[in-house]
Amino acid sequence: MNNDLEKKSEELEQTLAKQFDLLKKDSEEWLKIGGIVLVGGLLTYAIVRSKKKKKDRNTDKAIALLEKEGLLTEDLENKLKSHSKSAGIWPSLRQRLLILGLAYAKEKFLPNLFNGDEEAAEKDQ
């Protein structure tokens, strides 16, 4: 009886070690993907922020010029300072990330999807 318990104990330890190794391997992949997404997001944020600053500087120059010429009204200043909701980088970035995610899922999970059904059919027979 002790022998059986020791064998089961060893088998459980080996199974646990294998599961832990698989978890480490999977987490490494997710960590790499998360890092890539994080770096891409930070890069995109920096680009958008620098473009906004450049636009603000140009707007300030235009307001100063209009004020110097005496053509600046309060309404015109409000229109120049208000930022319109134009199509920016976020919609295209979201679309690209969606396509990238779908391509990754297709590459990673689609081949295994059909193999699992065949294995299950073999087990039933």
Side-chain angles (χ1 to χ4, degrees):
M1 181 148 169
N2 278 342
N3 225 2
D4 290 337
L5 290 175
E6 288 177 10
K7 286 181 182 178
K8 286 183 181 181
S9 160
E10 289 176 18
E11 289 175 6
L12 288 173
E13 287 177 6
Q14 290 173 354
T15 305
L16 182 63
K18 287 179 184 178
Q19 288 175 349
F20 190 64
D21 289 338
L22 287 174
L23 180 66
K24 279 184 183 178
K25 187 177 179 181
D26 287 342
S27 65
E28 286 176 5
E29 290 178 16
W30 284 109
L31 187 61
K32 288 177 186 176
I33 292 170
I36 290 169
V37 169
L38 180 65
V39 168
L42 290 174
L43 183 62
T44 303
Y45 177 73
I47 290 170
V48 168
R49 190 170 177 192
S50 68
K51 286 190 177 209
K52 183 179 178 187
K53 282 184 180 180
K54 183 177 179 182
K55 184 179 179 181
D56 288 344
R57 276 188 251 131
N58 290 339
T59 303
D60 290 340
K61 286 179 185 178
I63 289 174
L65 180 65
L66 287 171
E67 189 175 353
K68 183 179 175 183
E69 296 293 323
L71 300 172
L72 185 65
T73 63
E74 191 175 320
D75 187 38
L76 184 59
E77 185 177 1
N78 289 338
K79 284 183 181 179
L80 286 174
K81 284 189 175 182
S82 68
H83 297 287
S84 63
K85 297 272 184 177
S86 62
I89 193 167
W90 293 114
S92 64
L93 181 65
R94 275 186 261 154
Q95 290 171 352
R96 290 179 185 168
L97 285 176
L98 177 65
I99 291 170
L100 180 68
L102 291 174
Y104 179 75
K106 177 183 170 189
E107 183 180 310
K108 185 89 173 168
F109 299 114
L110 193 60
N112 297 334
L113 182 68
F114 297 114
N115 290 340
D117 291 341
E118 291 173 3
E119 292 174 5
E122 290 175 7
K123 287 181 182 178
D124 290 339
Q125 291 176 357

